[in-house]
């Protein structure tokens, strides 16, 4: 008669019980890692400052990867991940690549008439917003119908032309990136000078003398004290005061134009 020896089956019994427990532990660990990772990513997704980051969990060690343009963003990511229940250690492998914008430009204007348009350039495509300020009036693109752009060239069409005066014009381009606003201003404000001439001060030609037969010397007046250049043109040729014969002045605003005397 064979004797039953229970001790003979104990090792196999231990294996039979332990293997399912080991599998259950592995499955449980994978589930817990997935759960912790999901909760960490959900916390990061709630802000532009952190939603760019990725979390990889190995045991209870979380590794952060990804690229950002905001230098302070990785610290916020580390803080959120470290505060996730189940994370014991955080390793930061993220990369910061600052976003660079080209400065907008403004076309300087010195006009002897009301100014209705101002032009310039900006980094269209890289930037998403353009702001232009003329004196105390501000315009934005998008937003202001007066301000438009084409291939990086902006155009401001003023509803009311600028009256005579001097105006500071500034411009700035910006883009929101990873929770931060990257802003680039034009190098310096540009001066727009509007000088509307007085019609009464325009050059005037005197009536022809009695019996005059062309060609004859023309005479008249011009605002000599307020202009830096005075010229007359006949048959496509220009005569400039002080640059050769044909056009002369008495220094008091009375001119003589006699091109036939050359």
């Amino acid at each position: 008669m064979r004797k039953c020896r229970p001790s003979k089956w104990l090792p196999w019994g231990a294996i039979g019980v332990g293997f399912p427990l080991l599998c259950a532990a592995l499955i449980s660990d994978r589930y817990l890692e997935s759960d912790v990772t999901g909760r960490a990513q959900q916390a990061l997704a709630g802000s532009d400052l952190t939603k760019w980051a990725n979390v990889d969990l190995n045991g209870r060690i979380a590794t952060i990867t990804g690229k950002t343009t905001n230098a302070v963003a990785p610290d916020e990511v580390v803080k959120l991940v470290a505060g996730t229940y189940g994370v014991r250690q955080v390793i930061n492998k993220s990369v910061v690549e600052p976003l660079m914008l080209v400065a907008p430009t403004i076309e300087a204007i010195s006009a002897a008439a009301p100014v209705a348009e101002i032009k310039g350039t900006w980094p269209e495509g890289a930037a998403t917003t353009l702001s232009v300020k003329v004196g105390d009036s501000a315009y934005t693109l998008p937003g202001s119908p007066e301000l438009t752009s084409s291939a990086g060239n902006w155009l401001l069409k003023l509803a009311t032309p600028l009256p005579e005066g001097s105006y500071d014009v500034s411009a700035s381009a910006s883009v929101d990136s990873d929770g931060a606003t990257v802003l680039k201003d034009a190098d310096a404000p540009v001066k727009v000078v509007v000088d509307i001439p007085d019609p009464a001060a325009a050059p005037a030609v005197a009536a022809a003398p009695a019996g005059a037969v062309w060609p004859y010397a023309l005479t008249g007046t011009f605002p000599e004290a307020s202009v830096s250049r005075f010229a007359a043109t006949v048959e496509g040729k220009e005569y400039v005061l002080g640059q050769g014969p044909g056009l002369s002045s008495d220094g008091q605003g009375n001119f003589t134009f006699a091109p036939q005397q050359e």
Side-chain angles (χ1 to χ4, degrees), residues 111-115 161-165 167 193-199 201:
V115 171
L162 295 176
E164 187 172 10
Y167 305 86
V193 179
V194 182
D195 182 15
I196 302 175
D198 181 0

Side-chain angles (χ1 to χ4, degrees), residues 214-239:
W214 184 258
Y216 58 86
L218 298 176
T219 60
T221 60
F222 72 106
E224 188 166 1
S226 60
V227 299
S228 58
R229 187 177 186 273
F230 182 59
T233 302
V234 62
E235 296 181 351
K237 183 176 181 180
E238 184 181 58
Y239 299 82

Side-chain angles (χ1 to χ4, degrees), residues 130-236:
L130 173 68
S131 299
V132 178
K133 188 174 182 181
V134 182
D136 295 328
S137 300
Y139 306 87
T140 60
L141 178 68
S144 300
E146 299 91 343
L147 188 57
T148 59
S149 178
S150 176
N153 299 290
W154 59 265
L155 172 64
L156 176 62
K157 290 187 175 182
L158 300 168
T160 303
L162 295 176
E164 187 172 10
S166 178
Y167 305 86
D168 285 329
V169 180
S170 60
S172 63
S174 63
V175 60
D176 291 329
S177 183
D178 295 341
T181 299
V182 180
L183 184 70
K184 189 68 175 180
D185 295 324
D187 293 337
V190 169
K191 189 76 71 175
V192 171
V193 179
V194 182
D195 182 15
I196 302 175
D198 181 0
V205 179
V213 178
W214 184 258
Y216 58 86
L218 298 176
T219 60
T221 60
F222 72 106
E224 188 166 1
S226 60
V227 299
S228 58
R229 187 177 186 273
F230 182 59
T233 302
V234 62
E235 296 181 351

Side-chain angles (χ1 to χ4, degrees), residues 3 8 22 35 42-43 78 84 114 118 143 173 187 220 232 236 239 259:
K3 294 182 178 181
K8 175 182 177 181
L22 177 61
D35 178 63
Q42 186 176 8
V78 169
T84 302
I118 301 174
D187 293 337
Y239 299 82

Side-chain angles (χ1 to χ4, degrees), residues 39 48 64 76 90 100 116 120 122 124 127 130 140-141 150 159 167 180-181 186 192 244 258:
R39 285 187 284 110
D48 288 340
I64 298 170
E76 186 66 20
V90 179
M100 304 300 292
W122 71 300
E124 186 174 7
L130 173 68
T140 60
L141 178 68
S150 176
Y167 305 86
T181 299
V192 171

